[in-house]
C-alpha cells in the first residue's frame, strides 16, 4: 500500500467541545504521521471553496455559516492508505449511523455538528491540502521509531 497524505479538519463544534486532543490522539495511536497542524477561523471564501462540491445543496449556506463561526484545527496526516483509513476512523456522515468506535460514532449525534472532516479520495486530498496549507507548512520528517511502525 502506497504512502499517501490526507486533509483532516476538526470543525468548530469539535474545537468548542474540547475534543481536539481526543481526536488527534486517535490518529496518532493508529500510527499515522502528522506533517502539518494549525488553528484558524476560516474565511467565507475559503469555506466556500472547500465545500464547493456541495454549492447547490440546500444545506450549503448553513454549512458555510457553521464552518466560519469559529476556529477549526486543520491537519495533514501521512501514511500507508491514510485517505481511506481516516474516513473509517471518522465514521459515517450521519453520526447516529456511524459505528461505535469511530469519531462520529463516539462523539456526535447531529449531521450538522459532526465534529470532523476528512478528504474522501486522492484528488480531494490533493485539492484540500493545497487549499488549506502552503507547501512550506508541510513537514517532511521521519519518526525516530519508524522501524517499529513499518516492516
Ligand atoms: N451536511 C449537512 N447536511 C446534510 C449533508 C451534509 O449539514 O444533509 C454537512 C455535514 O457537516 C457533512 C458536510 O456537510 O460533514 C459535507 O457533506 P459530505 O456528504 O461530504 O459528508 P462528509 O464527507 O463530511 O462525511
Ligand atoms: Mg465530503
Amino acid at each position: 500500500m502506497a504512502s499517501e497524505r490526507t486533509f483532516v479538519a476538526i470543525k468548530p463544534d469539535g474545537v468548542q467541545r474540547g475534543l481536539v486532543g481526543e481526536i488527534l490522539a486517535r490518529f496518532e495511536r493508529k500510527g499515522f504521521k502528522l506533517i502539518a497542524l494549525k488553528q484558524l477561523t476560516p474565511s467565507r471564501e475559503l469555506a466556500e471553496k472547500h465545500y464547493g462540491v456541495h454549492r447547490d445543496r440546500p444545506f450549503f449556506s448553513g454549512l458555510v455559516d457553521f464552518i466560519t463561526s469559529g476556529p477549526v484545527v486543520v491537519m495533514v496526516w501521512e501514511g500507508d492508505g491514510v485517505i481511506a483509513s481516516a474516513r473509517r476512523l471518522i465514521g459515517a456522515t450521519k453520526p447516529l449511523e456511524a459505528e461505535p468506535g469511530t469519531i462520529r460514532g463516539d462523539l456526535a449525534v447531529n449531521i450538522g455538528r459532526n465534529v470532523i472532516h476528512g478528504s474522501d479520495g486522492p484528488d480531494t486530498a490533493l485539492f484540500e491540502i493545497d487549499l488549506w496549507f502552503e507547501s512550506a507548512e508541510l513537514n517532511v520528517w521521519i519518526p525516530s521509531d519508524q522501524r517499529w511502525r513499518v516492516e
Side-chain angles (χ1 to χ4, degrees), residues 38-145:
K38 65 184 175 185
Q39 183 176 51
L40 73 157
T41 300
S43 66
R44 238 182 140 78
E45 184 188 2
L46 178 58
E48 285 175 355
K49 280 186 188 158
H50 175 76
Y51 280 125
V53 65
H54 296 306
R55 192 178 301 109
D56 298 325
R57 307 281 289 279
F59 59 82
F60 181 71
S61 69
L63 177 59
V64 171
D65 288 345
F66 167 59
I67 291 295
T68 57
S69 66
V72 299
V73 171
V74 292
M75 59 201 99
V76 179
W77 290 92
E78 186 176 278
D80 289 351
V82 69
I83 300 171
S85 180
R87 292 282 292 191
R88 285 199 292 275
L89 291 174
I90 288 168
T93 305
K94 293 180 180 170
L96 291 180
E97 294 175 7
E99 292 294 328
T102 65
I103 293 166
R104 287 169 173 164
D106 288 347
L107 303 175
V109 290
N110 188 319
I111 190 169
R113 297 289 184 271
N114 62 4
V115 172
I116 184 167
H117 166 87
S119 304
D120 64 6
D123 295 343
T124 319
L126 282 174
F127 169 77
E128 292 174 350
I129 292 167
D130 183 61
L131 179 65
W132 290 86
F133 287 96
E134 303 289 338
S135 58
E137 293 177 300
L138 307 178
N139 298 278
V140 175
W141 65 288
I142 297 174
S144 59
D145 63 349

Side-chain angles (χ1 to χ4, degrees), residues 28-33 141-151:
E28 274 193 322
R29 289 201 308 250
K30 176 72 173 168
F32 293 124
K33 178 165 68 173
W141 65 288
I142 297 174
S144 59
D145 63 349
Q146 180 71 7
R147 71 191 179 103
W148 304 111
R149 298 168 181 254
V150 293
E151 204 179 354

